[in-house]
Tab-separated table of all heavy atoms in Angstrom:
chain	number	residue	atom	x	y	z
K	54	THR	N	6.207	-4.990	-8.703
K	54	THR	CA	6.272	-6.250	-9.534
K	54	THR	C	7.178	-7.302	-8.850
K	54	THR	O	6.997	-8.453	-9.160
K	54	THR	CB	6.884	-5.908	-10.908
K	54	THR	OG1	8.147	-5.276	-10.672
K	54	THR	CG2	5.937	-5.056	-11.646
K	55	GLY	N	8.025	-6.887	-7.941
K	55	GLY	CA	8.906	-7.885	-7.305
K	55	GLY	C	8.453	-8.132	-5.799
K	55	GLY	O	7.450	-7.518	-5.356
K	56	ALA	N	9.223	-8.882	-5.098
K	56	ALA	CA	8.921	-9.177	-3.748
K	56	ALA	C	9.280	-7.955	-2.908
K	56	ALA	O	10.254	-7.306	-3.141
K	56	ALA	CB	9.788	-10.348	-3.299
K	57	THR	N	8.419	-7.658	-2.010
K	57	THR	CA	8.713	-6.487	-1.197
K	57	THR	C	8.956	-6.961	0.239
K	57	THR	O	8.601	-8.037	0.607
K	57	THR	CB	7.450	-5.460	-1.102
K	57	THR	OG1	6.314	-6.262	-0.663
K	57	THR	CG2	7.198	-4.933	-2.474
K	58	MET	N	9.577	-6.103	1.050
K	58	MET	CA	9.942	-6.502	2.399
K	58	MET	C	9.591	-5.303	3.314
K	58	MET	O	9.607	-4.174	2.948
K	58	MET	CB	11.470	-6.689	2.428
K	58	MET	CG	11.961	-7.237	3.843
K	58	MET	SD	13.703	-7.538	3.800
K	58	MET	CE	14.345	-5.942	4.246
K	59	LYS	N	9.266	-5.720	4.540
K	59	LYS	CA	8.927	-4.655	5.553
K	59	LYS	C	10.216	-3.948	5.902
K	59	LYS	O	11.339	-4.432	5.661
K	59	LYS	CB	8.416	-5.254	6.863
K	59	LYS	CG	6.965	-5.919	6.614
K	59	LYS	CD	6.437	-6.294	7.845
K	59	LYS	CE	6.696	-7.779	8.037
K	59	LYS	NZ	6.138	-8.392	9.319
K	60	ASP	N	10.078	-2.747	6.408
K	60	ASP	CA	11.292	-2.071	6.885
K	60	ASP	C	12.152	-2.788	7.940
K	60	ASP	O	11.553	-3.356	8.902
K	60	ASP	CB	10.935	-0.678	7.446
K	60	ASP	CG	10.486	0.337	6.372
K	60	ASP	OD1	10.536	-0.093	5.142
K	60	ASP	OD2	10.030	1.407	6.664
K	61	GLY	N	13.383	-2.969	7.704
K	61	GLY	CA	14.204	-3.729	8.604
K	61	GLY	C	15.526	-4.231	7.901
K	61	GLY	O	15.901	-3.712	6.844
K	62	PHE	N	16.054	-5.131	8.544
K	62	PHE	CA	17.405	-5.791	7.921
K	62	PHE	C	17.110	-7.188	7.584
K	62	PHE	O	16.456	-7.963	8.424
K	62	PHE	CB	18.466	-5.602	9.056
K	62	PHE	CG	18.832	-4.173	9.437
K	62	PHE	CD1	18.157	-3.628	10.429
K	62	PHE	CD2	19.776	-3.517	8.660
K	62	PHE	CE1	18.434	-2.326	10.803
K	62	PHE	CE2	19.989	-2.192	9.021
K	62	PHE	CZ	19.366	-1.549	10.013
K	63	LEU	N	17.698	-7.732	6.490
K	63	LEU	CA	17.550	-9.083	6.102
K	63	LEU	C	18.897	-9.524	5.613
K	63	LEU	O	19.643	-8.832	4.760
K	63	LEU	CB	16.481	-9.133	4.986
K	63	LEU	CG	16.267	-10.523	4.286
K	63	LEU	CD1	15.588	-11.425	5.163
K	63	LEU	CD2	15.580	-10.279	3.003
K	64	MET	N	19.252	-10.822	6.043
K	64	MET	CA	20.551	-11.414	5.483
K	64	MET	C	20.122	-12.170	4.266
K	64	MET	O	19.350	-13.105	4.253
K	64	MET	CB	21.082	-12.321	6.604
K	64	MET	CG	22.355	-13.089	6.028
K	64	MET	SD	23.689	-11.964	5.702
K	64	MET	CE	24.482	-11.960	7.282
K	65	LYS	N	20.664	-11.784	3.102
K	65	LYS	CA	20.379	-12.457	1.832
K	65	LYS	C	21.701	-12.493	0.963
K	65	LYS	O	22.355	-11.555	0.741
K	65	LYS	CB	19.381	-11.629	0.989
K	65	LYS	CG	18.921	-12.390	-0.246
K	65	LYS	CD	17.814	-11.599	-0.919
K	65	LYS	CE	17.340	-12.293	-2.129
K	65	LYS	NZ	16.282	-11.570	-2.792
K	66	ASP	N	22.034	-13.693	0.589
K	66	ASP	CA	23.213	-14.014	-0.188
K	66	ASP	C	24.415	-13.470	0.461
K	66	ASP	O	25.401	-12.948	-0.181
K	66	ASP	CB	23.176	-13.382	-1.667
K	66	ASP	CG	21.973	-13.880	-2.441
K	66	ASP	OD1	21.674	-15.091	-2.182
K	66	ASP	OD2	21.427	-13.163	-3.226
K	67	GLY	N	24.634	-13.584	1.756
K	67	GLY	CA	25.699	-13.177	2.539
K	67	GLY	C	25.821	-11.677	2.787
K	67	GLY	O	26.888	-11.259	3.248
K	68	LYS	N	24.826	-10.971	2.335
K	68	LYS	CA	24.911	-9.521	2.583
K	68	LYS	C	23.628	-9.120	3.457
K	68	LYS	O	22.674	-9.671	3.446
K	68	LYS	CB	24.717	-8.762	1.237
K	68	LYS	CG	25.874	-9.002	0.224
K	68	LYS	CD	25.640	-8.203	-1.032
K	68	LYS	CE	26.753	-8.539	-2.049
K	68	LYS	NZ	26.425	-7.914	-3.314
K	69	VAL	N	23.949	-7.951	4.176
K	69	VAL	CA	22.796	-7.438	5.006
K	69	VAL	C	22.174	-6.387	4.214
K	69	VAL	O	22.759	-5.396	3.886
K	69	VAL	CB	23.343	-7.013	6.366
K	69	VAL	CG1	22.170	-6.322	7.241
K	69	VAL	CG2	24.030	-7.995	7.147
K	70	LEU	N	20.841	-6.636	3.881
K	70	LEU	CA	20.065	-5.593	3.161
K	70	LEU	C	19.231	-4.790	4.184
K	70	LEU	O	18.597	-5.367	5.028
K	70	LEU	CB	19.151	-6.329	2.155
K	70	LEU	CG	19.880	-7.086	1.143
K	70	LEU	CD1	18.842	-7.793	0.221
K	70	LEU	CD2	20.872	-6.254	0.279
K	71	GLU	N	19.191	-3.477	3.944
K	71	GLU	CA	18.400	-2.637	4.830
K	71	GLU	C	17.261	-2.021	3.944
K	71	GLU	O	17.443	-1.575	2.903
K	71	GLU	CB	19.289	-1.492	5.387
K	71	GLU	CG	18.418	-0.585	6.203
K	71	GLU	CD	19.199	0.548	6.665
K	71	GLU	OE1	20.327	0.871	6.138
K	71	GLU	OE2	18.854	1.288	7.664
K	72	THR	N	16.074	-2.116	4.446
K	72	THR	CA	14.924	-1.480	3.865
K	72	THR	C	14.339	-0.370	4.773
K	72	THR	O	13.997	-0.661	5.845
K	72	THR	CB	13.836	-2.503	3.512
K	72	THR	OG1	14.347	-3.529	2.663
K	72	THR	CG2	12.673	-1.891	2.818
K	73	ARG	N	14.299	0.809	4.130
K	73	ARG	CA	13.731	1.956	4.920
K	73	ARG	C	12.934	2.729	3.838
K	73	ARG	O	13.373	3.095	2.758
K	73	ARG	CB	14.742	2.879	5.533
K	73	ARG	CG	15.396	2.276	6.755
K	73	ARG	CD	16.330	3.291	7.422
K	73	ARG	NE	17.181	2.638	8.305
K	73	ARG	CZ	17.213	2.906	9.622
K	73	ARG	NH1	16.295	3.745	10.138
K	73	ARG	NH2	18.066	2.315	10.430
K	74	ASN	N	11.675	2.985	4.214
K	74	ASN	CA	10.754	3.753	3.430
K	74	ASN	C	10.747	3.159	1.950
K	74	ASN	O	10.776	3.883	0.970
K	74	ASN	CB	11.159	5.264	3.326
K	74	ASN	CG	11.153	5.857	4.681
K	74	ASN	OD1	10.321	5.519	5.543
K	74	ASN	ND2	12.132	6.721	4.914
K	75	ALA	N	10.706	1.909	1.814
K	75	ALA	CA	10.482	1.099	0.540
K	75	ALA	C	11.784	1.216	-0.290
K	75	ALA	O	11.720	0.825	-1.446
K	75	ALA	CB	9.282	1.583	-0.177
K	76	HIS	N	12.911	1.577	0.301
K	76	HIS	CA	14.204	1.647	-0.457
K	76	HIS	C	15.071	0.588	0.183
K	76	HIS	O	15.392	0.618	1.358
K	76	HIS	CB	14.850	2.914	-0.388
K	76	HIS	CG	14.037	4.055	-1.110
K	76	HIS	ND1	13.914	4.100	-2.498
K	76	HIS	CD2	13.232	5.062	-0.643
K	76	HIS	CE1	13.142	5.125	-2.797
K	76	HIS	NE2	12.691	5.667	-1.731
K	77	THR	N	15.566	-0.401	-0.633
K	77	THR	CA	16.373	-1.492	-0.127
K	77	THR	C	17.800	-1.384	-0.703
K	77	THR	O	17.966	-1.073	-1.960
K	77	THR	CB	15.762	-2.857	-0.562
K	77	THR	OG1	14.419	-2.951	-0.073
K	77	THR	CG2	16.606	-4.004	-0.019
K	78	GLY	N	18.733	-1.639	0.165
K	78	GLY	CA	20.253	-1.554	-0.350
K	78	GLY	C	21.041	-2.243	0.732
K	78	GLY	O	20.679	-2.431	1.938
K	79	ALA	N	22.184	-2.621	0.283
K	79	ALA	CA	23.175	-3.319	1.219
K	79	ALA	C	23.776	-2.173	2.179
K	79	ALA	O	23.993	-1.064	1.733
K	79	ALA	CB	24.300	-3.986	0.473
Side-chain angles (χ1 to χ4, degrees):
T54 56
T57 59
M58 186 178 88
K59 294 187 263 182
D60 288 355
F62 298 91
L63 174 73
M64 176 66 86
K65 184 175 181 182
D66 299 329
K68 296 180 183 176
V69 179
L70 301 177
E71 177 184 20
T72 301
R73 286 188 195 243
N74 302 325
H76 295 289
T77 303

